[in-house]
Amino acid sequence: MRIAYVSADRGVPVVGSQGSAVHVSSMVAALVERGQDLTVFPARPPADASASACPVVDLTGDPLLEELRRMVAKRSREAGEETLRVLREERAYEVEGVMHYFQADGDTARHAIDLGFYI
């Protein structure tokens, strides 16, 4: 499966040895080890992208990243419809994925599943 791992939080590095960086790098490594075609789209690209277990695309300055940041800034329970709108507009259904840290309601979950996402 092709997976886009988007990390819109500038405070979370993709590669690191503390806190959320460990979580991100562990998730990335586990998915790659399982043979997934993974690309990471971080708000804060690593100084050395070769340290990542998969390709890293720098979203710095990309308008999509700014939109994702605005959504993340909202409480995730309140961003369900906006999240679905962005996923549809960006044709995220073409790559599928996992809605990690999902906190929305059942309706939003059904719509995300209909777009090809796992919850």
Side-chain angles (χ1 to χ4, degrees):
M1 174 186 338
R2 291 177 57 208
I3 299 172
Y5 189 115
V6 180
S7 177
D9 187 338
R10 285 180 270 215
V12 178
V14 176
V15 177
S17 60
Q18 296 181 336
S20 296
V22 173
H23 171 76
V24 172
S25 59
S26 296
M27 287 288 294
V28 166
L31 290 165
V32 169
E33 284 173 13
R34 285 163 180 75
Q36 304 305 320
D37 180 8
L38 181 71
T39 301
V40 177
F41 297 86
R44 180 178 169 189
D48 179 13
S50 69
S52 176
C54 68
V56 176
V57 176
D58 184 356
L59 287 178
T60 307
D62 189 306
L64 173 61
L65 180 60
E66 290 308 314
E67 189 156 359
L68 287 169
R69 279 195 190 122
R70 280 192 295 278
M71 289 183 339
V72 169
K74 286 180 146 187
R75 291 179 48 109
S76 52
R77 288 186 186 118
E78 299 168 359
E81 191 55 43
E82 189 173 357
T83 301
L84 292 170
R85 178 187 58 77
V86 170
L87 292 172
R88 279 195 232 48
E89 286 176 4
E90 295 298 323
R91 298 167 38 155
Y93 50 84
E94 291 180 354
V95 295
E96 300 179 321
V98 176
M99 301 288 276
H100 181 59
Y101 192 68
F102 186 84
Q103 294 185 0
D105 60 19
D107 250 5
T108 303
R110 280 186 285 286
H111 288 293
I113 291 167
D114 288 346
L115 284 171
F117 287 86
Y118 293 94
I119 305 294

Short mmCIF file of all heavy atoms in Angstrom, two decimals, residues 13-66:
data_model
loop_
_atom_site.label_atom_id
_atom_site.label_comp_id
_atom_site.label_asym_id
_atom_site.label_seq_id
_atom_site.Cartn_x
_atom_site.Cartn_y
_atom_site.Cartn_z
N PRO A 13 10.25 16.67 14.89
CA PRO A 13 11.17 16.27 13.82
C PRO A 13 10.90 14.84 13.37
O PRO A 13 10.37 14.04 14.13
CB PRO A 13 12.55 16.39 14.47
CG PRO A 13 12.31 16.24 15.93
CD PRO A 13 10.92 16.75 16.19
N VAL A 14 11.24 14.55 12.14
CA VAL A 14 11.02 13.20 11.59
C VAL A 14 12.05 12.23 12.14
O VAL A 14 11.77 11.06 12.33
CB VAL A 14 11.10 13.24 10.05
CG1 VAL A 14 10.99 11.86 9.47
CG2 VAL A 14 10.04 14.15 9.49
N VAL A 15 13.24 12.73 12.38
CA VAL A 15 14.32 11.90 12.90
C VAL A 15 14.78 12.53 14.22
O VAL A 15 15.00 13.73 14.29
CB VAL A 15 15.50 11.86 11.90
CG1 VAL A 15 16.67 11.08 12.46
CG2 VAL A 15 15.06 11.28 10.58
N GLY A 16 14.88 11.73 15.25
CA GLY A 16 15.34 12.25 16.53
C GLY A 16 15.30 11.17 17.59
O GLY A 16 14.83 10.06 17.35
N SER A 17 15.77 11.51 18.79
CA SER A 17 15.86 10.51 19.85
C SER A 17 15.02 10.86 21.06
O SER A 17 15.19 10.27 22.12
CB SER A 17 17.32 10.34 20.27
OG SER A 17 17.83 11.59 20.74
N GLN A 18 14.11 11.83 20.91
CA GLN A 18 13.29 12.22 22.05
C GLN A 18 11.83 12.38 21.66
O GLN A 18 11.51 12.75 20.53
CB GLN A 18 13.79 13.53 22.65
CG GLN A 18 15.18 13.43 23.22
CD GLN A 18 15.63 14.75 23.83
OE1 GLN A 18 15.14 15.80 23.47
NE2 GLN A 18 16.57 14.67 24.75
N GLY A 19 10.95 12.12 22.62
CA GLY A 19 9.53 12.43 22.50
C GLY A 19 8.85 11.98 21.22
O GLY A 19 8.96 10.82 20.81
N SER A 20 8.17 12.93 20.61
CA SER A 20 7.38 12.62 19.42
C SER A 20 8.23 12.16 18.24
O SER A 20 7.75 11.41 17.39
CB SER A 20 6.55 13.85 19.01
OG SER A 20 5.61 14.15 20.01
N ALA A 21 9.48 12.62 18.18
CA ALA A 21 10.36 12.19 17.10
C ALA A 21 10.56 10.68 17.13
O ALA A 21 10.62 10.02 16.09
CB ALA A 21 11.71 12.90 17.18
N VAL A 22 10.64 10.11 18.33
CA VAL A 22 10.79 8.66 18.47
C VAL A 22 9.53 7.97 17.95
O VAL A 22 9.61 6.97 17.24
CB VAL A 22 11.07 8.27 19.94
CG1 VAL A 22 11.04 6.76 20.11
CG2 VAL A 22 12.39 8.84 20.39
N HIS A 23 8.37 8.53 18.27
CA HIS A 23 7.11 7.96 17.80
C HIS A 23 7.06 7.98 16.27
O HIS A 23 6.76 6.96 15.65
CB HIS A 23 5.92 8.73 18.37
CG HIS A 23 4.62 8.34 17.77
ND1 HIS A 23 3.98 7.16 18.11
CD2 HIS A 23 3.85 8.93 16.84
CE1 HIS A 23 2.86 7.06 17.41
NE2 HIS A 23 2.76 8.12 16.64
N VAL A 24 7.35 9.13 15.68
CA VAL A 24 7.30 9.24 14.21
C VAL A 24 8.28 8.28 13.57
O VAL A 24 7.92 7.51 12.68
CB VAL A 24 7.58 10.69 13.74
CG1 VAL A 24 7.73 10.75 12.23
CG2 VAL A 24 6.47 11.63 14.21
N SER A 25 9.53 8.29 14.02
CA SER A 25 10.53 7.42 13.40
C SER A 25 10.21 5.94 13.62
O SER A 25 10.45 5.11 12.73
CB SER A 25 11.95 7.76 13.86
OG SER A 25 12.07 7.64 15.25
N SER A 26 9.61 5.60 14.76
CA SER A 26 9.22 4.20 15.01
C SER A 26 8.08 3.77 14.09
O SER A 26 8.09 2.66 13.56
CB SER A 26 8.80 4.01 16.47
OG SER A 26 9.87 4.25 17.33
N MET A 27 7.09 4.65 13.93
CA MET A 27 5.97 4.35 13.01
C MET A 27 6.49 4.16 11.59
O MET A 27 6.12 3.22 10.89
CB MET A 27 4.94 5.48 13.04
CG MET A 27 4.10 5.55 14.28
SD MET A 27 2.91 4.22 14.40
CE MET A 27 1.83 4.58 13.04
N VAL A 28 7.35 5.08 11.16
CA VAL A 28 7.92 5.02 9.81
C VAL A 28 8.69 3.72 9.63
O VAL A 28 8.49 2.99 8.65
CB VAL A 28 8.81 6.25 9.54
CG1 VAL A 28 9.66 6.06 8.30
CG2 VAL A 28 7.95 7.51 9.42
N ALA A 29 9.56 3.40 10.57
CA ALA A 29 10.37 2.17 10.47
C ALA A 29 9.49 0.93 10.43
O ALA A 29 9.72 0.02 9.62
CB ALA A 29 11.36 2.09 11.63
N ALA A 30 8.45 0.89 11.28
CA ALA A 30 7.57 -0.29 11.33
C ALA A 30 6.82 -0.46 10.01
O ALA A 30 6.70 -1.58 9.50
CB ALA A 30 6.58 -0.15 12.48
N LEU A 31 6.34 0.63 9.43
CA LEU A 31 5.61 0.53 8.16
C LEU A 31 6.54 0.10 7.02
O LEU A 31 6.17 -0.73 6.19
CB LEU A 31 4.93 1.86 7.84
CG LEU A 31 3.75 2.20 8.75
CD1 LEU A 31 3.37 3.67 8.61
CD2 LEU A 31 2.56 1.30 8.47
N VAL A 32 7.74 0.66 7.00
CA VAL A 32 8.72 0.28 5.96
C VAL A 32 9.11 -1.18 6.10
O VAL A 32 9.18 -1.92 5.11
CB VAL A 32 9.94 1.22 6.00
CG1 VAL A 32 11.07 0.69 5.11
CG2 VAL A 32 9.55 2.63 5.57
N GLU A 33 9.34 -1.63 7.35
CA GLU A 33 9.69 -3.03 7.59
C GLU A 33 8.61 -3.98 7.10
O GLU A 33 8.89 -5.11 6.73
CB GLU A 33 9.94 -3.27 9.08
CG GLU A 33 11.26 -2.73 9.57
CD GLU A 33 11.40 -2.83 11.09
OE1 GLU A 33 10.58 -3.53 11.74
OE2 GLU A 33 12.32 -2.20 11.62
N ARG A 34 7.38 -3.53 7.10
CA ARG A 34 6.26 -4.36 6.64
C ARG A 34 6.02 -4.23 5.14
O ARG A 34 5.02 -4.68 4.61
CB ARG A 34 4.99 -4.00 7.42
CG ARG A 34 5.06 -4.57 8.83
CD ARG A 34 4.06 -3.93 9.76
NE ARG A 34 4.14 -4.48 11.10
CZ ARG A 34 5.09 -4.23 11.99
NH1 ARG A 34 6.08 -3.43 11.67
NH2 ARG A 34 5.09 -4.76 13.18
N GLY A 35 6.95 -3.56 4.47
CA GLY A 35 6.89 -3.50 3.01
C GLY A 35 6.00 -2.42 2.43
O GLY A 35 5.69 -2.45 1.24
N GLN A 36 5.59 -1.45 3.26
CA GLN A 36 4.72 -0.40 2.75
C GLN A 36 5.54 0.62 1.94
O GLN A 36 6.69 0.89 2.25
CB GLN A 36 4.00 0.31 3.90
CG GLN A 36 3.20 -0.61 4.79
CD GLN A 36 2.20 -1.46 4.03
OE1 GLN A 36 1.55 -1.00 3.11
NE2 GLN A 36 2.07 -2.71 4.42
N ASP A 37 4.92 1.17 0.92
CA ASP A 37 5.52 2.21 0.09
C ASP A 37 5.19 3.54 0.77
O ASP A 37 4.13 4.12 0.55
CB ASP A 37 4.91 2.14 -1.32
CG ASP A 37 5.46 3.20 -2.26
OD1 ASP A 37 6.43 3.90 -1.88
OD2 ASP A 37 4.92 3.33 -3.36
N LEU A 38 6.10 4.00 1.62
CA LEU A 38 5.84 5.13 2.50
C LEU A 38 6.65 6.35 2.10
O LEU A 38 7.82 6.25 1.77
CB LEU A 38 6.20 4.73 3.93
CG LEU A 38 5.98 5.74 5.03
CD1 LEU A 38 4.49 5.94 5.28
CD2 LEU A 38 6.66 5.28 6.30
N THR A 39 5.99 7.51 2.13
CA THR A 39 6.67 8.80 1.96
C THR A 39 6.24 9.69 3.11
O THR A 39 5.06 9.74 3.45
CB THR A 39 6.29 9.46 0.62
OG1 THR A 39 6.64 8.58 -0.45
CG2 THR A 39 7.03 10.78 0.43
N VAL A 40 7.20 10.38 3.70
CA VAL A 40 6.91 11.27 4.83
C VAL A 40 6.91 12.71 4.32
O VAL A 40 7.80 13.13 3.59
CB VAL A 40 7.96 11.10 5.95
CG1 VAL A 40 7.70 12.08 7.09
CG2 VAL A 40 7.95 9.68 6.47
N PHE A 41 5.86 13.44 4.74
CA PHE A 41 5.71 14.85 4.40
C PHE A 41 5.72 15.64 5.71
O PHE A 41 4.67 15.88 6.30
CB PHE A 41 4.39 15.09 3.66
CG PHE A 41 4.31 14.39 2.34
CD1 PHE A 41 3.86 13.08 2.27
CD2 PHE A 41 4.68 15.03 1.17
CE1 PHE A 41 3.78 12.42 1.05
CE2 PHE A 41 4.61 14.38 -0.05
CZ PHE A 41 4.16 13.08 -0.11
N PRO A 42 6.91 16.04 6.20
CA PRO A 42 6.98 16.70 7.50
C PRO A 42 6.95 18.22 7.39
O PRO A 42 7.37 18.81 6.39
CB PRO A 42 8.35 16.25 8.02
CG PRO A 42 9.18 16.16 6.78
CD PRO A 42 8.24 15.68 5.69
N ALA A 43 6.47 18.86 8.46
CA ALA A 43 6.53 20.31 8.55
C ALA A 43 7.96 20.76 8.84
O ALA A 43 8.35 21.87 8.53
CB ALA A 43 5.60 20.80 9.64
N ARG A 44 8.71 19.85 9.44
CA ARG A 44 10.10 20.14 9.82
C ARG A 44 10.99 19.04 9.26
O ARG A 44 11.21 18.02 9.90
CB ARG A 44 10.19 20.19 11.34
CG ARG A 44 11.55 20.48 11.87
CD ARG A 44 11.45 20.54 13.39
NE ARG A 44 12.74 20.56 14.00
CZ ARG A 44 12.92 20.44 15.29
NH1 ARG A 44 11.89 20.28 16.09
NH2 ARG A 44 14.13 20.48 15.80
N PRO A 45 11.50 19.23 8.04
CA PRO A 45 12.32 18.18 7.44
C PRO A 45 13.63 18.00 8.19
O PRO A 45 14.15 18.95 8.77
CB PRO A 45 12.57 18.69 6.02
CG PRO A 45 12.35 20.14 6.07
CD PRO A 45 11.38 20.41 7.19
N PRO A 46 14.14 16.78 8.20
CA PRO A 46 15.41 16.53 8.91
C PRO A 46 16.58 17.18 8.17
O PRO A 46 16.54 17.35 6.95
CB PRO A 46 15.52 15.01 8.90
CG PRO A 46 14.75 14.58 7.70
CD PRO A 46 13.63 15.57 7.56
N ALA A 47 17.61 17.53 8.93
CA ALA A 47 18.82 18.09 8.32
C ALA A 47 19.44 17.07 7.37
O ALA A 47 19.97 17.42 6.32
CB ALA A 47 19.81 18.49 9.40
N ASP A 48 19.34 15.80 7.73
CA ASP A 48 19.88 14.72 6.90
C ASP A 48 18.75 13.75 6.57
O ASP A 48 18.45 12.85 7.36
CB ASP A 48 21.01 14.01 7.65
CG ASP A 48 21.61 12.85 6.86
OD1 ASP A 48 21.33 12.74 5.65
OD2 ASP A 48 22.35 12.06 7.47
N ALA A 49 18.11 13.94 5.42
CA ALA A 49 16.98 13.10 5.03
C ALA A 49 17.37 11.64 4.87
O ALA A 49 16.53 10.76 4.97
CB ALA A 49 16.35 13.63 3.74
N SER A 50 18.66 11.36 4.66
CA SER A 50 19.09 9.97 4.51
C SER A 50 18.96 9.20 5.83
O SER A 50 18.99 7.98 5.83
CB SER A 50 20.52 9.90 3.98
OG SER A 50 21.43 10.37 4.97
N ALA A 51 18.77 9.92 6.94
CA ALA A 51 18.60 9.26 8.23
C ALA A 51 17.20 8.65 8.38
O ALA A 51 16.96 7.85 9.25
CB ALA A 51 18.85 10.24 9.37
N SER A 52 16.28 9.03 7.49
CA SER A 52 14.92 8.48 7.52
C SER A 52 14.89 7.14 6.80
O SER A 52 15.65 6.91 5.86
CB SER A 52 13.95 9.46 6.86
OG SER A 52 12.66 8.90 6.82
N ALA A 53 13.97 6.28 7.22
CA ALA A 53 13.85 4.95 6.62
C ALA A 53 13.13 4.97 5.27
O ALA A 53 13.01 3.94 4.62
CB ALA A 53 13.10 4.03 7.58
N CYS A 54 12.67 6.16 4.83
CA CYS A 54 11.93 6.26 3.57
C CYS A 54 12.11 7.66 2.99
O CYS A 54 12.69 8.52 3.63
CB CYS A 54 10.45 5.96 3.81
SG CYS A 54 9.64 7.23 4.80
N PRO A 55 11.60 7.89 1.78
CA PRO A 55 11.70 9.24 1.20
C PRO A 55 10.99 10.29 2.05
O PRO A 55 9.95 10.02 2.65
CB PRO A 55 11.00 9.10 -0.16
CG PRO A 55 11.01 7.64 -0.46
CD PRO A 55 10.98 6.95 0.87
N VAL A 56 11.58 11.47 2.12
CA VAL A 56 11.02 12.60 2.85
C VAL A 56 10.84 13.75 1.88
O VAL A 56 11.75 14.10 1.15
CB VAL A 56 11.96 13.04 4.01
CG1 VAL A 56 11.43 14.28 4.71
CG2 VAL A 56 12.16 11.90 4.99
N VAL A 57 9.63 14.31 1.84
CA VAL A 57 9.34 15.44 0.96
C VAL A 57 9.18 16.68 1.82
O VAL A 57 8.38 16.71 2.75
CB VAL A 57 8.05 15.18 0.14
CG1 VAL A 57 7.69 16.40 -0.69
CG2 VAL A 57 8.22 13.95 -0.74
N ASP A 58 9.95 17.71 1.51
CA ASP A 58 9.92 18.96 2.27
C ASP A 58 8.70 19.78 1.86
O ASP A 58 8.58 20.19 0.71
CB ASP A 58 11.21 19.73 2.00
CG ASP A 58 11.32 20.99 2.83
OD1 ASP A 58 10.37 21.33 3.56
OD2 ASP A 58 12.38 21.65 2.74
N LEU A 59 7.78 20.00 2.79
CA LEU A 59 6.58 20.79 2.52
C LEU A 59 6.73 22.25 2.92
O LEU A 59 5.77 23.01 2.85
CB LEU A 59 5.38 20.21 3.27
CG LEU A 59 4.81 18.90 2.76
CD1 LEU A 59 3.66 18.45 3.65
CD2 LEU A 59 4.34 19.02 1.33
N THR A 60 7.93 22.65 3.33
CA THR A 60 8.14 24.02 3.75
C THR A 60 7.67 24.98 2.66
O THR A 60 8.08 24.88 1.51
CB THR A 60 9.63 24.27 4.06
OG1 THR A 60 10.07 23.29 4.99
CG2 THR A 60 9.86 25.66 4.61
N GLY A 61 6.78 25.88 3.03
CA GLY A 61 6.27 26.86 2.08
C GLY A 61 5.11 26.38 1.22
O GLY A 61 4.54 27.15 0.45
N ASP A 62 4.74 25.13 1.32
CA ASP A 62 3.64 24.59 0.51
C ASP A 62 2.31 25.02 1.14
O ASP A 62 2.11 24.86 2.34
CB ASP A 62 3.73 23.06 0.48
CG ASP A 62 2.75 22.44 -0.50
OD1 ASP A 62 1.55 22.73 -0.38
OD2 ASP A 62 3.20 21.66 -1.35
N PRO A 63 1.37 25.56 0.35
CA PRO A 63 0.08 25.98 0.90
C PRO A 63 -0.69 24.85 1.57
O PRO A 63 -1.44 25.09 2.52
CB PRO A 63 -0.69 26.51 -0.30
CG PRO A 63 0.25 26.56 -1.44
CD PRO A 63 1.49 25.82 -1.06
N LEU A 64 -0.52 23.61 1.11
CA LEU A 64 -1.20 22.49 1.74
C LEU A 64 -0.77 22.35 3.19
O LEU A 64 -1.58 22.10 4.07
CB LEU A 64 -0.92 21.19 0.97
CG LEU A 64 -1.44 19.91 1.63
CD1 LEU A 64 -2.96 19.95 1.78
CD2 LEU A 64 -1.03 18.70 0.82
N LEU A 65 0.52 22.55 3.47
CA LEU A 65 1.02 22.44 4.83
C LEU A 65 0.36 23.48 5.72
O LEU A 65 -0.04 23.20 6.84
CB LEU A 65 2.53 22.57 4.88
CG LEU A 65 3.15 22.47 6.26
CD1 LEU A 65 2.85 21.12 6.90
CD2 LEU A 65 4.65 22.71 6.20
N GLU A 66 0.22 24.70 5.22
CA GLU A 66 -0.42 25.75 6.01
C GLU A 66 -1.87 25.38 6.31
O GLU A 66 -2.36 25.61 7.42
CB GLU A 66 -0.34 27.09 5.29
CG GLU A 66 1.07 27.65 5.24
CD GLU A 66 1.74 27.70 6.62
OE1 GLU A 66 1.11 28.16 7.60
OE2 GLU A 66 2.89 27.27 6.72
#
